[in-house]
Amino acid sequence: MNRRIQREIEEKEGLLKDLENTVDLKIVQLAHHKQVLVNIKDYGLQYFGSNQPVFTDLTFSISQGERIACSQSDDARTSLYMG
């Protein structure tokens, strides 16, 4: 019985040894079966009740491995980065 208890204590001590060590995190890009992931053509946006669209004729595509960033030109400080 004492041998079993000692073995269980040693197993639990082995679990505690790595608590103080940190592991570096890596972001790895996943492969997708399609080369083009997003394809937008002639897109526009207009708020309900507005007479003027926010934008029109937006066309772009995003392929594997590409990174995009969207930002606003005024002082709203709104931006989006997808990478």
Side-chain angles (χ1 to χ4, degrees), residues 9 19 25 38-39 41 54-55 58 61-63 74-75 79 83:
I9 290 172
L19 283 179
L25 297 178
V38 176
N39 190 17
K41 185 173 182 180
V54 176
F55 60 85
L58 176 66
S61 64
I62 303 171
S63 298
D74 62 5
D75 287 336
S79 63

Side-chain angles (χ1 to χ4, degrees), residues 32-49:
H32 195 269
H33 64 280
K34 296 205 174 204
Q35 181 62 32
V36 177
L37 303 176
V38 176
N39 190 17
I40 304 290
K41 185 173 182 180
D42 298 330
Y43 186 78
L45 176 68
Q46 181 172 341
Y47 290 112
F48 183 76

Side-chain angles (χ1 to χ4, degrees), residues 7-23:
R7 187 181 71 226
E8 289 181 14
I9 290 172
E10 289 172 2
E11 287 176 5
K12 300 224 189 281
E13 285 176 347
L15 294 174
L16 296 175
K17 287 181 182 176
D18 292 333
L19 283 179
E20 302 275 331
N21 296 336
T22 60
V23 178

Side-chain angles (χ1 to χ4, degrees), residues 50-74:
S50 174
N51 294 332
Q52 192 171 15
V54 176
F55 60 85
T56 60
D57 301 326
L58 176 66
T59 300
F60 67 92
S61 64
I62 303 171
S63 298
Q64 282 192 47
E66 292 183 328
R67 296 174 186 225
I68 64 167
C70 301
S71 64
Q72 204 167 325
S73 61
D74 62 5

